[in-house]
Amino acid sequence: LNYFFLFSAIVLIAFGQITQKRASEVFSGFDRVIPAMNALLRSGYFWLSVLFLATGLAAWLIALSSIEVSKAYPLLSLSFAVTALLSRWLLHEKISGFRWLGIASITLGATIMLIA
Amino acid sequence: MKEMSSRTATGLVLLSVILTSCAQLLFRISMQGLPLLESLASGDVASAFSLVTSSGLVMLAFGIALYAASMLSWIFALSRFEVSLAYPLLSISYVLVYVGAIALPGLDETASLLKMIGIAVIAIGVAVISLGERRSST
């Protein structure tokens, strides 16, 4: 069950990024920052991203209360790869070999840092 | 908005990374001086209330404000960059938080070889991603 919360946290954080990207699309058509911010605060995707990130944080904190930090943190860095997969699926982003290689290296480096 | 230059968007990504890192450090500092959850858990509501006025809470609030600013800067950057490009770059904040925790007094983080190796591997990943973008844009 605790791993359920951990993987929920990873997926929720990834969805948080996807919805932030969607929210950023409201900026097209605005020349000034203030009206653009107004549009952002009225965007459903923005509040959805806040919801995803807040529930992701809550799930992460619940998971941390029972999973050892040295196991939980490396798994959290999977969120880079999950975000990439979701962005390909939902946003149709093309992910080059360079990006996959970079993401793999960053995931490995983050894992090393988080358990060290 | 008019399409911002990729240089501006890169600047916004870095600004967001720096703001997030500062927020994380403030969270750490405030949690050290704010055993609020412990007071509440032990049923000591009176001392939990007295902590509300402590400097730890001020830093916590400041951290949350920086976090919100970071999120705005991030969304502006995302209006220009794909999320599969920008999000991995957020890992730079692991490095900044680590360096900050070593440098700042009161956060007793010590340097370790393994973490230095982790930083190097992250840096290689960031370099590979930016190299790939430079290639595809020419």
Side-chain angles (χ1 to χ4, degrees), chain A residues 21 27 29-30 93 99 105, chain B residues 1 74 78 82-84 121:
Chain A
K21 170 70 185 172
F27 289 154
F30 289 99
E93 292 186 3
R99 269 187 211 176
S105 183
Chain B
M1 216 178 304
W74 185 248
L78 279 183
E82 291 189 326
V83 72
S84 60
V121 176

Side-chain angles (χ1 to χ4, degrees), chain A residues 2 8-9 11 13 20 44-46 58-59 69-70 72-73 79 87-88 94 99-100 105:
Chain A
N2 305 317
S8 303
V11 173
I13 289 167
Q20 275 184 323
Y45 276 117
F46 173 73
V69 170
S70 63
Y73 269 110
S79 67
S87 71
R88 198 172 80 148
K94 279 187 186 156
R99 269 187 211 176
W100 281 125
S105 183

Side-chain angles (χ1 to χ4, degrees), chain A residues 7-18:
Chain A
F7 285 106
S8 303
I10 292 166
V11 173
L12 287 167
I13 289 167
F15 271 107
Q17 288 298 323
I18 303 293

